Structures are given as structure tokens and as C-alpha cells.
Amino acid sequence: MTLPTIESLGKGPFFLMAGSCAIESRDLAFEIAERIDGITKSMGIPFIFKGSYRKANRTKIDSFTGIGDIKALEILKEVGAHYNLPTVTDIHESAEAAMAAAYVDVLQIPAFLCRQTDLLAAAAQTGKAVNIKKGQFMSGASMKFAVEKVLHENPQAQVYLTDRGNSFGYGDLVVDYRNLPEMANFGVPVIMDCTHSLQRPNQGSGVTGGQPALIETIAKAAIAVGADGLFIETHPNPSIAKSDGANMLPLDQLEGLLEKLLKVREAIV
């Protein structure tokens, strides 16, 4: 079980961070992981299994937040061990870093929190890899300071930077693909979040919307621009997902999408 690095990626395929938005149950986590693991192994795509143990950033007070921190983290650890896969989850406060690090291989910093110095430092101090999502309010160039904060605490840290779009008015996002090469200039792998970048947040209903029909468009463009990795949330039935169902990719569409994206990748390397 190894994590992708700039050196290991070379002229090979992109890597994939994928899974459901939240850990909903052990059975669902294993179903998704088994399916993606089989697909990516057959295609030679490095795979990091994703699942949030808790959803701290919700619009409404009664929105689903999780099944319990330790229960969800134990499921993540079990999935990683069973399939020999690296795993990634979000953390939201400095005190959570050490807790989550005991169960996963990559700590993810949510976009809204990418400027939180103490949170970045705490993640770095665990010795785990750190995936920092670019804030919807930030440019790619400005993310160098987030990378510097992590490397200041741990010069050996594996850092990833992920774009997930920029705010466009009050309830929409737009992807500026200039951000990917700008972030690549910092010498870290860059990832395109193909599902959250299609969110329509802050809707009056209190439920975030999305445009999942455009996931393929976002992903193709990202690979063409030179993204090292893709972040895709997927679910067997997004309509009943407990979190972010409006912008997740149906699991049965993932294989066909990856086949197309490999062809794009092969054409540009």
C-alpha cells in the first residue's frame, strides 16, 4: 500500500480518490470499495478510498452528520486493511488530527478551512499525508502558503492540493483551470474534485444542489490540463445517499468514465 507521489506518477495514469461522501454503514463502504478497487486494479489506476467520518459543514441543523466518529473511522481502517488500500478522511478541528490519523493514511483539510494554521499544523504533526482542498474563495497561486504551513511542521510530509471550484455568485461554483498548473508549480500532486466543483451550495431549501451530468466534462478537462489525480464521490444510488447525493456519480458509471479519461491521459503524456 503506497501513496502516489510526483515521482511515482511519472507518465503513468492519474490516481483516484473516491468513495461515498460520508461513511453511512460498513456494508455500503465495503460495497463501494470492492467495486472501485476491482475497476482501478484492472486499469492500473492508483486508488485512495475516501469517506468522511463526520460531516461538520452542513446547511441545516437536522442534516445527517455521521454514524459516530470512532465507528466510522474503524470502518475506514477495516476497508483499508481488507483491500490493502490507503484511505482518506476530513478533519475539522486541530484536536481531531491525532484521532483520525490512527485510522487513515491521508488527512484532508476541507476547503473552507484551508487557511486554518493550527489545523494544518496539527495534520502535519501526525506524519500522515495531507490533502488540502483549495478554498472556493482562493486562487491556486495563494495555496502555496497552505503548503508552506504543512512543510514548516513536517518537511517530509506528502502534500496534495485539490481544486473544487470557485464561488460564482451566491449559489453556484465555476472551475478556473488555471488553478491546476498554478498549484502544480509548488511541486506537489494536484487533484481535481470533479463532484464538489459541481455543487450548487446555499440553496434556499437548505439542501445543496448539483450538476452530476457534468462530472465527465470537468474530469476530461482536468486531465487535459494536467491534473495528477481526480477526486470523485460515488454511490450505488445517489438519490438515497445521506450526504451530497445531488452531485455524486452513480457507481455503475465510474468504470466507463475512467476508460474515457485514461484515453485522454494517454493522449497528452
Side-chain angles (χ1 to χ4, degrees):
M1 178 177 63
T2 58
L3 289 170
T5 64
I6 288 290
E7 294 75 21
S8 68
L9 291 166
K11 293 187 178 297
F14 54 87
F15 67 97
L16 180 68
M17 283 188 179
S20 61
C21 179
I23 296 296
E24 299 180 20
S25 70
R26 181 184 183 278
D27 287 348
L28 181 64
F30 269 77
E31 177 184 354
I32 294 171
E34 181 169 359
R35 178 65 178 142
I36 304 176
D37 184 51
I39 293 170
T40 53
K41 276 191 169 64
S42 69
M43 296 182 179
I45 297 173
F47 169 43
I48 301 172
F49 179 74
K50 184 268 171 181
S52 295
Y53 68 87
R54 174 160 33 99
K55 301 304 295 182
N57 176 26
R58 301 289 87 188
T59 302
K60 298 194 298 183
I61 189 64
D62 59 352
S63 296
F64 173 81
T65 57
I67 60 175
D69 291 357
I70 300 303
K71 181 178 181 181
L73 286 167
E74 287 177 341
I75 291 170
L76 277 164
K77 185 174 183 177
E78 189 177 358
V79 167
H82 184 82
Y83 295 103
N84 192 32
L85 290 171
T87 54
V88 57
T89 198
D90 312 81
I91 59 172
H92 318 94
E93 298 181 20
S94 302
E96 297 175 22
M99 174 185 73
Y103 297 89
V104 299
D105 305 285
V106 184
L107 299 177
Q108 181 165 281
I109 308 300
F112 285 125
L113 302 177
C114 69
R115 286 170 51 94
Q116 298 298 103
T117 301
D118 289 349
L119 181 61
L120 290 163
Q125 289 163 5
T126 67
K128 299 292 183 173
V130 183
N131 180 35
I132 313 168
K133 287 200 170 183
K134 183 186 73 63
Q136 301 91 321
F137 44 88
M138 294 182 68
S139 69
S142 64
M143 289 301 291
K144 73 174 183 177
F145 304 110
V147 175
E148 288 174 355
K149 289 176 182 179
V150 172
L151 296 179
H152 179 268
E153 296 296 326
N154 178 9
Q156 305 305 315
Q158 173 63 64
V159 182
Y160 302 101
L161 289 177
T162 298
D163 190 11
R164 48 101 75 234
N166 282 79
S167 296
F168 187 67
Y170 288 117
D172 205 357
L173 296 169
V174 64
V175 176
D176 179 352
Y177 286 95
R178 293 176 298 178
N179 287 319
L180 295 178
E182 284 182 352
M183 295 193 298
N185 285 335
F186 310 137
V188 301
V190 295
I191 302 166
M192 185 71 231
D193 184 338
C194 303
T195 44
H196 288 101
S197 61
L198 290 166
Q199 282 184 334
R200 286 186 164 171
N202 306 318
Q203 300 298 306
S205 64
V207 178
T208 294
Q211 296 177 287
L214 293 175
I215 291 172
E216 181 175 323
T217 301
I218 296 292
K220 283 179 175 177
I223 294 300
V225 169
D228 300 296
L230 298 175
F231 180 106
I232 298 176
E233 288 188 341
T234 182
H235 193 284
N237 187 353
S239 66
I240 62 171
K242 295 182 182 296
S243 177
D244 279 1
N247 52 271
M248 277 201 276
L249 181 75
L251 185 58
D252 62 6
Q253 295 179 18
L254 181 63
E255 184 172 11
L257 173 61
L258 293 178
E259 288 174 347
K260 294 177 183 178
L261 296 176
L262 281 177
K263 292 177 182 178
V264 177
R265 173 73 170 169
E266 289 168 2
I268 66 169
V269 296

